[in-house]
Amino acid sequence: DTGVSQDPRHKITKRGQNVTFRCDPISEHNRLYWYRQTLGQGPEFLTYFQNEAQLEKSRLLSDRFSAERPKGSFSTLEIQRTEQGDSAMYLCASSSGLNSYNEQFFGPGTRLTVL
Amino acid sequence: SQELEQSPQSLIVQEGKNLTINCTSSKTLYGLYWYKQKYGEGLIFLMMLQKGGEEKSHEKITAKLDEKKQQSSLHITASQPSHAGIYLCGAYHSGAGSYQLTFGKGTKLSVIP
């Protein structure tokens, strides 16, 4: 399978704990995106990487959130001191940089539950 | 206010019936994308529309873009249970340099056999 993969698929944690999610994009894609989706809503943009550079960050990305893409391949999203409001599906997507507005291909998501 | 409004919010149709889902943008569109999502899963890319008047089809699903109205419609012909899911429209609203997709809230489609 050469699609976008995410790990873990599900994560249950206690409030105050730190969690880290991983995303592996489609291999030839140089753009990588993180979104958050809560029940009954569409995905909301969090951040975007072109290769290893983080070029856009949403105001939704508080200082408890940090994302990295150290070698321009896989990416990690860390949430520190989790809160119940962080419970959501975290989606990763990737796209090629051939055209300005290419379609983004999404992974299966990581569902986070904060108790 | 929502930048992308989808209607209806939910839809229940009998198998074999046709249906249409609409997506209206309050801002200039630089690209309109349709995705399908099964509950609790990731998004599956369906179609991308970039030019006014553009129409694309894949199997029994057709999408059109009306640039003047900043609106897109997704039409499913002869619906099947496999069409059930949440349909999301997404769009690029900013000019060059911003690649975040903005999404509507989705339309939940149920198809009754």
Side-chain angles (χ1 to χ4, degrees), chain A residues 31-36 43-50 55-61 93 95 100-104 106, chain B residues 3-4 27-33 35 89-104:
Chain A
R31 293 179 183 165
L32 187 147
Y33 314 79
W34 285 98
Y35 291 83
R36 182 174 70 185
E44 295 174 296
F45 172 80
L46 291 178
T47 190
Y48 150 66
F49 289 86
Q50 179 147 331
L55 298 184
E56 272 189 274
K57 286 198 290 186
S58 163
R59 284 172 292 179
L60 291 175
L61 211 67
S95 70
S100 295
Y101 299 108
N102 279 345
E103 59 269 33
Q104 297 180 18
F106 282 78
Chain B
E3 293 176 350
L4 282 178
K27 295 184 176 182
T28 302
L29 292 168
Y30 288 85
L32 192 290
Y33 302 77
Y35 289 87
C89 65
Y92 290 111
H93 281 128
S94 300
S98 176
Y99 298 107
Q100 56 175 287
L101 275 174
T102 300
F103 285 90

Side-chain angles (χ1 to χ4, degrees), chain A residues 20-23 34 49 66-70 74-78:
Chain A
T20 300
F21 310 140
R22 177 181 170 123
C23 170
W34 285 98
F49 289 86
S66 63
E68 293 182 343
R69 195 183 182 196
F74 74 91
S75 175
T76 57
L77 177 69
E78 181 184 17

Side-chain angles (χ1 to χ4, degrees), chain A residues 1-6 23-26 29 33-37 42-46 89-95 102-109, chain B residues 33-37 41-46 88 90 92 99-103:
Chain A
D1 190 327
T2 57
V4 178
S5 62
Q6 292 187 245
C23 170
D24 287 88
I26 293 171
H29 285 179
Y33 314 79
W34 285 98
Y35 291 83
R36 182 174 70 185
Q37 186 178 27
E44 295 174 296
F45 172 80
L46 291 178
M89 174 79 91
Y90 289 84
L91 294 161
C92 175
S94 70
S95 70
N102 279 345
E103 59 269 33
Q104 297 180 18
F105 294 93
F106 282 78
Chain B
Y33 302 77
W34 284 100
Y35 289 87
K36 179 184 175 185
Q37 186 176 31
E41 299 180 7
L43 280 63
I44 299 168
F45 172 75
L46 295 176
L88 290 152
Y92 290 111
Y99 298 107
Q100 56 175 287
L101 275 174
T102 300
F103 285 90

Side-chain angles (χ1 to χ4, degrees), chain B residues 15-63:
Chain B
E15 182 177 358
K17 296 294 186 184
N18 302 336
L19 63 106
T20 300
I21 298 168
N22 293 303
C23 174
T24 303
S25 176
S26 60
K27 295 184 176 182
T28 302
L29 292 168
Y30 288 85
L32 192 290
Y33 302 77
W34 284 100
Y35 289 87
K36 179 184 175 185
Q37 186 176 31
K38 291 280 192 182
Y39 179 75
E41 299 180 7
L43 280 63
I44 299 168
F45 172 75
L46 295 176
M47 271 171 281
M48 172 179 74
L49 304 165
Q50 289 190 304
K51 299 176 185 176
E54 191 171 11
E55 180 175 323
K56 288 188 177 178
S57 294
H58 176 66
E59 297 179 344
K60 294 184 179 180
I61 302 176
T62 300

